[in-house]
Amino acid sequence: HRVLQVLHNPRYAGAFCFGRHKSRRGPNGKQRSSRQPREQWISLIPGAHPGYISWADFEANGSRLAGLSASRGTDRRASPPREGPALLQGMVVCGRCGGRMTVRYHTRAEAILPTYICQAEAIATAKPICESLPGASIDAAVGELLVQTMTPLALEVALSVQAELESRAGEADALRRTQVERARQSAEAARRRYLSVDPDNRLVAASLEADWNDSLRELSRAGEEYERQADAAGALDETARAAIAALAGDFPALWADPRTAQRERKRMVRLLIDDVTLARGETTIAVHVRLKGGQTATLSLPVPLSVGAARKTPDAVVAEIDALLERYTDAGVAAALNDTGRLSGTGQAFNAGIVLHVRKTYGLASRAERLAGRGLVGLAEAAAAMGVSTITVKNWHHEGRIVGEAANDKGECLYQVPDRPPYKKLGRPPKGPRSRATAEPAKR
């Protein structure tokens, strides 16, 4: 807390400020203090006294702290990489409204999956969310793009561009040196004017002293800017070029290494990508990647199936179940499908319960309904039609005298009623009652 106080206090940068906080009395009578934005401060005078750091360093520190803070502002472009698996955390832009998309996680099959969601406006106005996109396939596609981008040819092109920039760095350095020299000459002229004034002319001396101080500040600023630009435009030596060329082989291996933490992958992404814009269409997701240096790439990904569609039984399997129900019950259909290696929409082997669920979902007629459509009747109806008991119907079926087929997995059957009572077994020669007149004499 104390470190943050120092970094946010302009006094350490040599500035005088007043009105950073505003106190007001709450409903309970206690004083409450709140921090005010800079434009509402009463007074801010940079360079009022010597500071521990320069005003430019103070501004740079403030910008970096604001960018790396996960709770400051709505645009978290430079937010620090966190522990979650979302590769593009803080870098995704909504292709519909242009707002920054946040990350929401959910668990599926013991795996944590990210979802990029644009909901800032929805939270503020209580409206439906603008856009929500599953992030697993997007992260995989962007990672593959980075691996393909970090090739020896691409790095060779980058080194060629760097060499061209280095050839022009001398001209830019000469211009910056000229600006520093002009500031030095201006400060020297102001010094001479101040030293040559009559001390009795106090107002003139004070004015010349102020001009001299302004010239010295401008000289200091120009010198710092020259040093910063010189460091940024430094030429690459052979060791640096060799290290960059080695990235072509090291980066894919490091990216694919399971020991590489996801936070480290996020840091690598932030070194290579500025932002990613996502736009969802009817069947595809457009992924616009803006790489460092201005290069862009566009990927087109299919919209992932919903959970219901992903777990849906294939149409070919449904048609096969419909055909098998003409011959088998639910359990028999499941056994026939398993013999051919078919799997359900959830990737499981079939059983009678799964076949029943598919049959009811797609409105397929059951085995009993199909038999009834062919004219077969139940046990009681068959017994009534033939004028016998139900036990007799079962016995005749077991003896093969009447046709019966299994209607379900409980052992219940439907029977085909013959035109006349079946006094003989089907498929066997008749054995009528032997009369005395026709009976053959017994052999002795």
Side-chain angles (χ1 to χ4, degrees):
H1 175 68
R2 183 64 63 188
V3 172
L4 288 177
Q5 274 190 334
V6 172
L7 292 175
H8 286 294
N9 197 331
R11 293 185 177 91
Y12 291 94
F16 172 79
C17 61
F18 184 77
R20 295 175 59 225
H21 297 84
K22 184 177 182 179
S23 299
R24 62 183 64 183
R25 191 177 299 278
N28 56 0
K30 295 183 179 181
Q31 291 285 344
R32 295 182 178 181
S33 179
S34 60
R35 180 177 296 178
Q36 301 297 310
R38 180 178 294 185
E39 57 271 13
Q40 297 182 11
W41 293 1
I42 297 176
S43 176
L44 176 62
I45 306 175
H49 56 80
Y52 292 95
I53 60 175
S54 65
W55 183 254
D57 292 340
F58 173 78
E59 293 282 359
N61 291 339
S63 299
R64 186 174 184 185
L65 288 173
L68 294 180
S69 176
S71 60
R72 293 177 63 91
T74 57
D75 189 358
R76 303 174 184 178
R77 181 186 302 270
S79 59
R82 303 301 296 271
E83 297 80 5
L87 185 65
L88 304 176
Q89 167 231 325
M91 305 179 65
V92 183
V93 179
C94 177
R96 181 176 298 175
C97 68
R100 188 69 54 171
M101 301 183 75
T102 56
V103 182
R104 179 184 295 174
Y105 293 104
H106 64 277
T107 303
R108 181 183 298 174
E110 300 182 357
I112 301 177
L113 302 178
T115 298
Y116 297 114
I117 181 171
C118 180
Q119 59 180 355
E121 186 68 19
I123 294 175
T125 59
K127 295 180 179 179
I129 61 174
C130 178
E131 197 169 24
S132 177
L133 298 171
S137 59
I138 297 173
D139 289 351
V142 172
E144 183 65 23
L145 173 65
L146 293 180
V147 172
Q148 296 176 0
T149 302
M150 296 293 291
T151 59
L153 180 59
L155 292 179
E156 185 65 27
V157 173
L159 291 176
S160 300
V161 174
Q162 178 67 21
E164 178 66 21
L165 294 177
E166 290 173 4
S167 65
R168 300 183 181 181
E171 301 176 6
D173 185 72
L175 293 176
R176 289 191 294 268
R177 280 201 308 268
T178 302
Q179 294 177 354
V180 175
E181 187 62 27
R182 288 177 181 175
R184 183 179 294 107
Q185 292 176 1
S186 177
E188 181 63 23
R191 185 186 71 85
R192 289 195 302 267
R193 286 194 298 268
Y194 174 74
L195 294 178
S196 62
V197 71
D198 188 354
D200 294 335
N201 298 329
R202 296 181 180 180
L203 294 178
V204 177
S207 178
L208 293 176
E209 184 181 9
D211 292 342
W212 186 18
N213 289 333
D214 292 340
S215 300
L216 290 176
R217 293 192 189 97
E218 182 64 23
L219 175 61
S220 177
R221 186 198 62 77
E224 292 176 358
E225 181 67 16
Y226 174 77
E227 293 178 359
R228 187 181 66 83
Q229 294 289 347
D231 293 339
L236 296 176
D237 55 10
E238 293 300 328
T239 303
R241 289 178 176 273
I244 293 176
L247 286 176
D250 295 342
F251 180 79
L254 181 62
W255 185 270
D257 193 342
R259 295 173 297 179
T260 302
Q262 189 68 4
R263 175 181 289 185
E264 302 304 323
R265 290 191 179 93
K266 292 183 182 181
R267 290 175 177 171
M268 289 187 282
V269 168
R270 280 158 172 74
L271 294 176
L272 300 174
I273 293 179
D274 279 333
D275 53 41
V276 177
T277 303
L278 303 180
R280 180 170 186 166
E282 292 293 333
T283 58
T284 59
I285 300 175
V287 182
H288 305 283
V289 183
R290 193 158 61 95
L291 302 170
K292 296 290 185 180
Q295 183 182 359
T296 61
T298 301
L299 306 175
S300 181
L301 305 178
V303 175
L305 298 176
S306 63
V307 177
R311 297 165 65 92
K312 178 182 177 182
T313 304
D315 295 337
V317 177
V318 175
E320 189 171 353
I321 291 176
D322 190 18
L324 290 173
L325 284 171
E326 295 291 341
R327 295 178 291 164
Y328 305 106
T329 62
D330 293 344
V333 171
L337 292 173
N338 293 333
D339 291 340
T340 58
R342 298 286 192 178
L343 296 177
S344 66
T346 58
Q348 298 174 316
F350 279 92
N351 54 40
I354 296 178
V355 174
L356 173 63
H357 174 74
V358 173
R359 180 164 54 78
K360 290 185 175 181
T361 301
Y362 291 91
L364 303 180
S366 64
R367 174 66 174 165
E369 293 171 345
R370 296 167 190 263
L371 293 177
R374 288 159 45 186
L376 278 71
V377 297
L379 178 62
E381 296 178 10
M386 291 184 291
V388 296
S389 66
T390 57
I391 298 299
T392 302
V393 174
K394 290 183 178 181
N395 292 335
W396 284 353
H397 173 239
H398 290 311
E399 293 173 358
R401 298 188 182 190
I402 60 176
V403 176
E405 298 188 32
N408 52 40
D409 297 319
K410 299 179 181 179
E412 298 177 354
C413 297
L414 295 184
Y415 305 93
Q416 183 175 359
V417 179
D419 296 335
R420 59 185 182 85
Y423 296 112
K424 57 183 178 180
K425 298 181 180 180
L426 297 179
R428 297 186 179 183
K431 292 184 178 180
R434 298 177 61 185
S435 62
R436 294 181 179 179
T438 59
E440 296 182 357
K443 296 182 180 180
R444 296 181 178 179

